[in-house]
Amino acid sequence: MVVVAFETSCDETSVAVVREGRVLANVVSSQIRLHADYGGVVPELATREHLRNLPHVARRALEAAALAPAAVDAVAATRGPGLPNALMIGLRAAQGMAFALGKPFVAIHHHEAHLYSPWIGGTPPRAAFDAFEPNVSLIVSGGHTLLVHVPRLLEHRVLGSTLDDAAGECFDKTGKLLGLGYPAGPEIDRLARAGNPRAHAFPRPMLQEPGYDFSFSGLKTSVRYFLEKRPGGAPTTAELQDLCASVQAAIVETLVEKTLRAAAACHVRCVTASGGVSCNQGLREALARACRRRGLGLRLANAAFCTDNAAMIGVLAELKLARGQPPSPLDSDVAPNWALEDLAAPAQ
Ligand code: KG4
Ligand code: ZN
């Protein structure tokens, strides 16, 4: 089966072509530089950029996959959650393509797709789900922090989420306090490598609480108080490195500890991670160490599939159709606030 997929939920315009769980093309046009001047994603600008870029991104994806329109078996798109008008552009484009080709359309939940992105890719590329194992999946991005139990393909249970800021938002907001540009996550990651993670004892939010929810807004506040009390001008590079290492350690330790607790409670032998923050080297290393200590398998999304991409939308749509789930209505609307908990249980 060949699926063409569209993803435009936030600030990445992406179109992919997948066949039998393998990615034939995954073109991503990031708007990150456009939004950097504003310190965050500006919805109106994102909408305009998606409109401008989508035709080119789609053409490049179809050319890269060397695919004639007649070879397409289904068309998929992200329905939510995300920015309403941004979602609308990818969804309507996909529905239009499905209508024109007379092929089924599949509407996909963005976070359900993230659950499967760690299974995509590999060298040589293998079918996405050949190696699937029951797992606990950590989704960490600028908009979301979710821990999910995935006992079987197409089944999941949300264990916890953030009560306030997402992990990426915490990186970005603390980075702003430290004078770093947007998005600050990659820069904190880079500076942290030369810093001392024990230099400052920032709080490990909710670590003492039972359950799997997260809260990161207190960490940002405690960094602000620290900077307000600190005498002198701008921090030196060495101070900045220690601050970044200490902030990152607080975020990473919280994420890793809760993820490993969830894996034990759910009796799974595998942990996965995806979303922009899962690019963080400190997080990847800490997860690897913790999983090794407990004898758990770890699947981290490849860099290309950590951040938003249409390949994960396509492989999930293909899986759903292959497992007999019905296509979605051609007039299904965007669902900007769609919670993963509200995703209807699959037909058996
Ligand atoms: O998944 P993503 O590209 O977009 C959405 O939020 O949907 O994630 C972007 C987030 C930003 O907050 C960014 O600072 C963070 O991921 N991020 C990182 C790293 N790379 C991206 N955070 C920490 N370390 C990184 N290396
Ligand atoms: Zn995402």
Side-chain angles (χ1 to χ4, degrees):
M1 190 186 300
V2 172
V3 179
V4 177
F6 291 70
E7 155 65 42
T8 59
S9 63
C10 190
D11 60 344
E12 262 97 25
T13 312
S14 181
V15 177
V17 182
V18 306
R19 182 171 57 205
E20 315 302 341
R22 289 181 175 81
V23 180
L24 303 185
N26 181 48
V27 178
V28 182
S29 167
S30 175
Q31 308 174 359
I32 203 75
R33 276 196 300 277
L34 176 76
H35 299 285
D37 289 347
Y38 301 90
V41 176
V42 183
E44 185 53 36
L45 288 182
T47 307
R48 254 188 272 161
E49 280 299 293
H50 285 309
L51 267 178
R52 209 194 322 256
N53 291 332
L54 191 62
H56 309 291
V57 171
R59 187 172 309 120
R60 277 169 51 208
L62 293 171
E63 280 171 8
L67 207 71
V72 176
D73 296 301
V75 187
T78 307
R79 183 175 172 227
L83 301 171
N85 291 335
L87 285 166
M88 184 93 71
I89 290 162
L91 189 90
R92 293 293 183 239
Q95 288 166 331
M97 186 174 180
F99 175 73
L101 296 174
K103 300 292 180 183
F105 165 71
V106 187
I108 292 291
H109 190 292
H110 181 84
H111 295 142
E112 190 184 19
H114 266 303
L115 295 178
Y116 298 103
S117 57
W119 303 95
I120 307 175
T123 326
R126 58 184 176 272
F129 303 115
D130 283 358
F132 178 85
E133 288 179 66
N135 63 79
V136 158
S137 187
L138 175 68
I139 302 176
V140 266
S141 72
H144 301 276
T145 305
L146 282 167
L147 255 185
V148 186
H149 178 205
V150 190
R152 270 171 291 280
L153 286 171
L154 299 182
E155 276 183 37
H156 59 259
R157 183 169 58 98
V158 176
L159 302 168
S161 60
T162 182
L163 303 178
D164 40 56
D165 291 350
E169 207 175 349
C170 183
F171 271 107
D172 295 338
K173 288 180 174 172
T174 354
K176 190 172 178 190
L177 294 172
L178 296 173
L180 306 177
Y182 172 86
E187 188 63 0
I188 292 183
D189 190 3
R190 195 183 63 77
L191 288 161
R193 282 171 213 170
N196 172 10
R198 303 279 160 242
H200 308 282
F202 292 125
R204 272 58 176 155
M206 311 261 311
L207 210 48
Q208 307 316 324
E209 320 273 327
Y212 305 105
D213 286 333
F214 301 93
S215 164
F216 289 111
S217 67
L219 173 54
K220 172 192 67 198
T221 310
S222 86
V223 172
R224 192 172 67 234
Y225 287 157
F226 171 82
L227 290 170
E228 281 169 5
K229 283 201 210 115
R230 177 188 163 280
T236 63
T237 304
E239 283 175 295
L240 204 52
Q241 288 165 339
D242 283 350
L243 279 164
C244 288
S246 302
V247 166
Q248 182 169 298
I251 298 172
V252 165
E253 281 178 33
T254 310
L255 293 173
V256 172
E257 174 64 28
K258 293 238 166 187
T259 305
L260 272 283
R261 260 188 228 168
C266 295
H267 306 289
V268 296
R269 308 296 313 150
C270 179
V271 162
T272 76
S274 67
V277 178
S278 72
C279 294
N280 183 273
Q281 190 175 309
L283 176 60
R284 294 174 87 89
E285 287 168 1
L287 277 172
R289 271 194 308 274
C291 286
R292 208 177 311 121
R293 255 201 316 271
R294 292 177 170 80
L296 299 176
L298 174 65
R299 281 191 85 100
L300 300 167
N302 288 354
F305 307 119
C306 272
T307 49
D308 291 346
N309 66 88
M312 66 181 188
I313 307 300
V315 292
L316 178 56
E318 189 186 21
L319 179 70
K320 283 177 181 263
L321 291 174
R323 297 276 171 124
Q325 289 196 22
S328 314
L330 262 186
D331 61 352
S332 46
D333 205 354
V334 296
N337 300 313
W338 201 4
L340 192 53
E341 291 91 332
D342 297 339
L343 192 62
Q348 292 302 309

